[in-house]
């Protein structure tokens, strides 16, 4: 297949950094062979089938994330940081005194989350590299996308900011359908791992802290178990068949939205179907789900060390099991108010309740622990925003040998 053949299809040279990979079949080249051409297809389709004289081409669009888009993400991150600085109710002198109380434990807390993000990156890399695109994502670039993605998730309602950023960065290498399916698959796995943390926490509480059991906790645990089972069924369907088309179909039934949503769906329906097909492909490779889920659960258990170190800094004799309960209970309250950026107020309330139930301290240790977790989040948000502009020139993927 030569460039003049492609010109005959009306495909012009690439614009705005667009790059497509043309997969030839029965075109005088070995089946499955690939040859890259810079093409400019002015539509948002991840793959287009073109037939001419018995020769079938698959044109997969890989559009690089523009510098303007990256700058917009950076500006949004800076704005979020400024808002957090000016809306904090504690004065800066009090913040300095609180940080001095934890001393050298705070750098250890930051190091703990370095390990957590490393495990999250391994999960993301594992899922991406299990796809059918034939490229291997480097761990370095996976770490960059993970830390920056979490920064935007922590500063947006419902955590919606991290997913689009990861997808836009990743699509330049593996194409839109594979990037979107991998990111959605990872986000589902990341959220699903919360339920394993909560289940482990409930098991530890019932086995080791039965004397602290309250009557009102039994219905809470029962509702949680029911929700866990229902969500497992939903995720099973989503992993097996894909969820994108089903979720988008909901928009087609909402008044005032269904007409523009329907027009947009007509343009991108092919891409959405391909995303669901890629997700079903990942489900057919069990290592993608269970490998990523194991890394995520391990990351949750490592993150428990944050509360262990904070309470040790206060001089409180707290075991890892108690720190696990604190982490699980506070993250559960975070999830209940996930619509609020950084779950402001929810975490502190959850910490105050679980610390009181366990009888760890009556001196406001829960609220202070909430303050230190906010400080840790703030530092990593700054790092994540800075990483958006770093490491974009060096290659992020390599050819995967099969």
């Amino acid at each position: 297949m030569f460039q003049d053949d492609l010109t005959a299809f009306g495909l012009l040279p690439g614009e705005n950094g667009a790059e497509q990979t043309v997969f030839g079949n029965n075109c005088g080249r070995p089946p499955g062979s690939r040859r890259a051409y810079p093409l400019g297809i002015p539509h948002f389709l991840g793959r287009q089938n073109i037939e001419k004289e018995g020769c079938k081409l698959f044109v997969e669009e890989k559009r690089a994330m523009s510098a303007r888009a990256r700058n917009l993400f950076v500006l949004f991150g800076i704005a979020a940081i400024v808002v957090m600085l000016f809306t904090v109710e504690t004065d800066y002198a009090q913040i300095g005194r609180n940080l001095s109380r934890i001393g050298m434990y705070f750098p250890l807390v930051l190091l703990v989350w370095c390990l957590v993000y490393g495990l999250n990156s391994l999960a993301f890399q594992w899922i991406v590299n299990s796809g059918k695109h034939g490229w291997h994502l480097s761990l370095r670039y996976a770490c960059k996308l993970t830390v920056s993605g979490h920064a935007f998730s922590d500063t947006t309602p419902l955590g919606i900011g991290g997913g689009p950023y990861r997808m836009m960065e990743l699509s330049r290498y593996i194409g839109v359908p594979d990037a979107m399916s991998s990111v959605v698959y990872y986000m589902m796995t990341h959220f699903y791992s919360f339920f394993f943390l909560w289940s482990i926490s409930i098991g530890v509480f019932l086995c080791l802290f039965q004397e602290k059991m309250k009557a009102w906790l039994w219905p809470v645990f029962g509702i949680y178990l029911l929700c866990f089972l229902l969500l497992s069924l939903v995720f099973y369907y989503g992993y097996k068949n894909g969820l994108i088309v089903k979720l988008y179909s909901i928009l087609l039934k909402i008044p005032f939205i269904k007409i523009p949503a329907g027009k947009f769906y007509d343009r991108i329906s092919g891409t959405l179907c391909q995303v669901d097909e890629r997700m079903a492909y990942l489900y057919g490779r069990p290592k993608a789900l269970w490998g990523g889920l194991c890394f995520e659960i391990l990351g949750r258990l490592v993150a428990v060390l944050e509360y262990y170190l904070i309470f040790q800094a206060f001089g409180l004799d707290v075991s890892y099991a108690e720190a696990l309960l604190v982490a699980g209970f506070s993250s559960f309250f975070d999830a209940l108010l996930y619509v609020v950026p950084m779950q402001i107020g929810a975490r502190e309330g959850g910490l105050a309740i679980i610390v009181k139930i366990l009888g760890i301290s009556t001196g406001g240790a829960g609220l202070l622990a909430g303050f230190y977790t906010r400080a840790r989040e703030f530092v990593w948000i700054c790092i994540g925003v800075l990483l958006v502009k770093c490491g974009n020139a060096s290659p992020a993927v390599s050819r995967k040998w099969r």
Side-chain angles (χ1 to χ4, degrees):
M1 193 63 189
F2 300 100
Q3 187 70 40
D4 54 349
D5 298 312
L6 296 174
T7 305
F9 288 116
L11 304 178
L12 303 177
E15 301 178 81
N16 300 325
E19 177 182 324
Q20 277 87 26
T21 300
V22 177
F23 302 88
N25 186 18
N26 300 324
C27 301
R29 295 173 61 85
S33 62
R34 303 184 179 192
R35 183 175 180 182
Y37 295 91
L39 305 175
I41 300 180
H43 48 68
F44 191 70
L45 289 180
R47 175 171 288 187
Q48 180 188 25
N49 296 338
I50 307 173
E51 295 189 10
K52 179 186 178 185
E53 299 177 356
C55 176
K56 190 172 184 180
L57 299 180
F58 302 94
V59 183
E60 182 169 330
E61 184 171 11
K62 298 178 181 178
R63 185 171 295 277
M65 187 176 182
S66 66
R68 178 181 299 178
R70 284 199 185 93
N71 291 336
L72 288 176
F73 274 104
V74 172
L75 290 175
F76 173 81
I78 294 174
I81 292 170
V82 172
V83 169
M84 286 186 288
L85 285 175
F86 283 95
T87 56
V88 64
E89 296 181 358
T90 307
D91 62 77
Y92 292 103
Q94 182 64 32
I95 292 176
R97 288 192 293 271
N98 287 337
L99 289 176
S100 65
R101 290 186 61 182
I102 196 172
M104 291 303 298
Y105 281 90
F106 189 67
L108 292 177
V109 169
L110 296 178
L111 179 60
V112 165
W113 274 87
C114 184
L115 298 176
V116 173
Y117 285 135
L119 291 168
N120 294 159
S121 302
L122 286 171
F124 183 62
Q125 182 196 37
W126 188 277
I127 291 173
V128 172
N129 290 342
S130 298
K132 60 193 301 185
H133 45 77
W135 294 95
H136 178 85
L137 180 69
S138 68
L139 182 59
R140 174 194 60 80
Y141 202 74
C143 289
K144 164 188 161 65
L145 296 185
T146 298
V147 177
S148 296
H150 277 290
F152 295 121
S153 295
D154 289 340
T155 53
T156 52
L158 295 175
I160 60 175
Y165 167 75
R166 290 189 185 99
M167 190 199 73
M168 292 172 68
E169 286 280 17
L170 195 59
S171 62
R172 64 184 294 198
Y173 299 107
I174 64 176
V176 174
D178 284 299
M180 187 180 294
S181 60
S182 297
V183 170
V184 172
Y185 204 89
Y186 169 75
M187 292 174 67
M188 291 173 61
T189 304
H190 182 73
F191 182 74
Y192 198 37
S193 65
F194 269 119
F195 282 83
F196 287 88
L197 172 66
W198 299 334
S199 299
I200 294 172
S201 300
I202 291 174
V204 170
F205 184 79
L206 294 177
C207 292
L208 302 180
F209 301 93
Q210 293 180 355
E211 71 282 358
K212 301 181 184 297
M213 185 68 183
K214 307 293 182 181
W216 60 271
L217 287 176
W218 286 111
V220 172
F221 290 162
I223 295 173
Y224 162 78
L225 180 61
L226 179 62
C227 292
F228 187 19
L229 294 176
L230 291 175
L231 187 74
S232 296
L233 292 176
V234 172
F235 273 40
Y236 169 76
Y237 178 85
Y239 282 128
K240 186 176 181 180
N241 305 293
L243 278 177
I244 302 300
V245 174
K246 289 291 184 182
L247 291 177
Y248 197 94
S249 64
I250 298 175
L251 297 178
L252 302 179
K253 301 177 181 179
I254 301 177
F256 306 109
I257 298 179
K258 60 182 181 181
I259 295 179
K263 294 179 179 178
F264 188 64
Y265 181 77
D266 291 338
R267 295 172 52 198
I268 66 169
S269 58
T271 298
L272 297 184
C273 291
Q274 290 171 36
V275 171
D276 281 347
E277 183 269 330
R278 301 296 203 282
M279 292 184 67
Y281 174 84
L282 289 172
Y283 174 81
R285 299 170 66 86
K287 72 171 187 177
L289 171 61
W290 298 112
L293 191 58
C294 286
F295 282 125
E296 284 290 321
I297 295 174
L298 184 58
R300 301 286 182 200
L301 297 178
V302 171
V304 172
L305 293 174
E306 175 182 29
Y307 289 101
Y308 177 80
L309 292 172
I310 290 174
F311 288 129
Q312 291 295 322
F314 295 157
L316 301 174
D317 187 16
V318 175
S319 64
Y320 178 85
E322 290 174 314
L324 173 64
L325 295 180
V326 171
F329 204 86
S330 64
S331 64
F332 181 72
F333 269 72
D334 283 354
L336 291 179
L337 291 177
Y338 200 60
V339 68
V340 181
M342 294 184 69
Q343 295 79 53
I344 296 175
R347 182 180 308 167
E348 288 76 7
L351 285 170
I353 293 174
I354 189 61
V355 166
K356 183 176 181 180
I357 291 176
L358 296 177
I360 294 177
S361 172
T362 58
L367 294 177
L368 284 174
F371 166 80
Y372 292 123
T373 58
R374 298 295 180 196
R376 180 265 305 164
E377 279 185 341
F378 179 79
V379 172
W380 278 106
I381 287 173
C382 294
I383 295 174
V385 172
L386 291 175
L387 285 177
V388 173
K389 300 293 290 183
C390 299
N392 298 309
S394 55
V397 298
S398 58
R399 173 63 68 184
K400 181 166 56 179
W401 296 94
R402 295 184 177 182

